[in-house]
Amino acid sequence: MMDLKLEKVQIHPTNRCNLKCIFCDVSCTHANAVDLDEEKFVDISNELCKLQPSVVTISGGGEPLLRHNLLMDMIKILYSGNIKAEIITNGTLVSNQMARTIAECCHDYLLSIHSTSENLDEFLRGKKDSINNSFDGVKQIVYWKEKMKKDEPQIGTVMVINKFNIKEIDKMIKKAFSLRINNVRLRMVHKWGDKYLPSQRQMKFLKKNLKNYENLASEYNLELFYHFLVEDLFPETKEKPVENKISKDQFSCKLPFKEMVIFADGRVAPCCNFITDTEDSVGVDSIKNKTLSEVWFGKKFNLLRKYVTEGDKSKLPKTCKECSIDLKPIDKGYK
């Protein structure tokens, strides 16, 4: 097995949330989940300073700012360890003191918000006035960035595209510019929210306007990111048969060798797709009674790595078998 360098870590401090986004399944899927205690998350943060991943993302799960004291402690520890920390949040709970700490210690601040309209935001996120609280939090972070004369954290909006907001992308770009936000990120509503997927007509509208959105973002000196493959959403032609096409029993997924996700209840896995998998699954371990190193270099992660390098799809957990990654032969360096 190659030398394993942990590069990216995602941490879910809680599965609880103060909002009820219509396309989010957290409140249903994790209704009875129990979060790890604060002391364990602090231990994890300190150990990450030794393992030195390039970036640690603190997200959900639920809303990380519900555990605001813990969150502030974690980003301070990561900052002291020279690790880039980023927060993904709905932004409704940011106080002035939190904004100051985020401005001082974070590399990225990503605001999950899906509309610039108060009425539509209330419908999509399930709470009145949440939009104003979210944007007020951004203003406070921008204030402290300027006061400290810092370029970071880079601030972005994460907009989940659905049938209700698909024509609001240009408004989000303009709003981001007015708030001195640095980038706009577009995601397509995920599988659990299938009933909120845009119609074919709406998707044609999106395809037609993607270039316009790119030009608008460029005009405002904003970055526009797609968290989906445009060619997957809008295939121009049907795939033609290719002789000797690579078998999908061969794998190229490198996540078990580079990344891990720590779920709120203590389960640890290579990626977020394992969020509903139990500890019985190959590749899912628990941090409750182990150190992070014991999990990362442990038997369960190594067994998954073995199956991936062997390219034996039959031995992989169901979550890997159902993954949408385009599977290719494993790089020799990973054997």
Side-chain angles (χ1 to χ4, degrees):
M1 187 68 67
M2 66 174 288
D3 181 33
L4 299 169
K5 175 64 175 81
L6 180 61
E7 295 183 5
K8 294 182 180 180
V9 177
Q10 186 174 136
I11 301 174
H12 297 184
T14 185
N15 287 317
R16 294 177 291 118
C17 191
N18 60 319
L19 301 183
K20 294 183 179 180
C21 297
I22 61 172
F23 39 73
C24 180
D25 64 333
V26 168
S27 59
C28 301
T29 307
H30 304 287
N32 299 315
V34 178
D35 299 337
L36 282 177
D37 59 42
E38 292 193 7
E39 184 179 355
K40 188 63 178 179
F41 276 119
V42 169
D43 289 343
I44 289 168
S45 303
N46 282 315
E47 193 172 0
L48 284 170
C49 293
K50 298 176 183 177
L51 292 172
Q52 282 289 300
S54 57
V55 62
V56 174
T57 302
I58 304 174
S59 63
E63 170 48 49
L65 283 173
L66 281 173
R67 304 187 77 177
H68 52 87
N69 290 332
L70 170 62
L71 180 58
M72 296 302 106
D73 288 342
M74 290 171 68
I75 62 174
K76 287 176 183 176
I77 292 169
L78 296 171
Y79 179 72
S80 69
N82 295 314
I83 296 173
K84 294 178 180 178
E86 65 178 23
I87 297 174
I88 303 177
T89 171
N90 62 44
T92 59
L93 302 173
V94 178
S95 68
N96 186 56
Q97 184 56 50
M98 284 186 230
R100 180 174 183 171
T101 303
I102 290 168
E104 182 179 6
C105 299
C106 280
H107 183 262
D108 288 292
Y109 175 86
L110 301 178
L111 173 64
S112 180
I113 192 165
H114 320 296
S115 172
T116 61
S117 159
E118 289 190 31
N119 290 335
L120 184 53
D121 177 77
E122 181 180 348
F123 170 71
L124 292 175
R125 299 202 296 171
K127 190 172 183 180
K128 190 174 183 179
D129 293 329
S130 61
I131 189 171
N132 296 318
N133 293 333
S134 294
F135 289 144
D136 284 346
V138 169
K139 292 174 185 176
Q140 292 180 75
I141 295 170
V142 169
Y143 167 80
W144 284 109
K145 278 179 61 178
E146 293 179 347
K147 191 173 180 66
M148 297 175 187
K149 298 180 179 179
K150 293 186 63 179
D151 293 327
E152 295 178 348
Q154 292 287 288
I155 302 174
T157 61
V158 182
M159 185 178 183
V160 175
I161 305 302
N162 55 78
K163 66 182 181 180
F164 301 109
N165 69 355
I166 195 166
K167 293 189 176 181
E168 290 213 344
I169 297 172
D170 56 341
K171 294 178 182 177
M172 185 63 75
I173 293 171
K174 293 174 182 177
K175 184 67 175 180
F177 173 74
S178 72
L179 292 173
R180 303 182 195 179
I181 288 172
N182 305 104
N183 57 73
V184 173
R185 300 163 185 254
L186 305 180
R187 297 182 183 273
M188 191 57 60
V189 63
H190 54 67
K191 186 177 181 180
W192 191 85
D194 273 354
K195 62 182 177 181
Y196 303 116
L197 280 168
S199 66
Q200 288 187 354
R201 183 176 180 179
Q202 288 176 317
M203 291 297 283
K204 288 179 181 178
F205 171 87
L206 177 60
K207 178 182 179 182
K208 180 180 178 180
N209 284 280
L210 280 179
K211 193 64 181 178
N212 294 335
Y213 300 143
E214 292 169 8
N215 292 337
L216 182 61
S218 178
E219 178 185 337
Y220 287 143
N221 199 28
L222 292 170
E223 291 185 283
L224 180 65
F225 296 109
Y226 303 132
H227 289 262
F228 50 77
L229 294 175
V230 175
E231 57 268 31
D232 284 351
L233 290 181
F234 312 114
E236 297 298 333
T237 57
K238 292 184 178 179
E239 185 180 5
K240 296 179 181 179
V242 178
E243 290 185 10
N244 301 320
K245 187 175 178 180
I246 294 167
S247 167
K248 286 212 171 188
D249 286 336
Q250 296 174 293
F251 294 84
S252 65
C253 180
K254 299 175 183 178
L255 298 186
F257 305 89
K258 294 175 175 286
E259 303 184 21
M260 68 159 54
V261 180
I262 303 166
F263 298 115
D265 60 2
R267 287 173 301 120
V268 185
C271 76
C272 287
N273 288 341
F274 285 87
I275 192 167
T276 59
D277 289 55
T278 66
E279 293 174 35
D280 295 332
S281 174
V282 174
V284 179
D285 209 334
S286 174
I287 196 72
K288 288 181 182 178
N289 299 308
K290 297 180 183 178
T291 66
L292 210 56
S293 293
E294 287 171 338
V295 171
W296 180 243
F297 297 106
K299 291 182 179 179
K300 297 208 75 174
F301 266 52
N302 281 334
L303 183 60
L304 179 60
R305 292 167 185 141
K306 179 177 182 289
Y307 292 159
V308 169
T309 54
E310 288 176 349
D312 188 346
K313 189 171 182 178
S314 65
K315 295 180 180 178
L316 287 172
K318 182 181 178 183
T319 296
C320 291
K321 294 175 183 178
E322 295 177 348
C323 183
S324 60
I325 290 176
D326 184 22
L327 304 174
K328 299 174 184 177
I330 192 76
D331 289 349
K332 290 182 179 179
Y334 283 86
K335 288 192 176 181

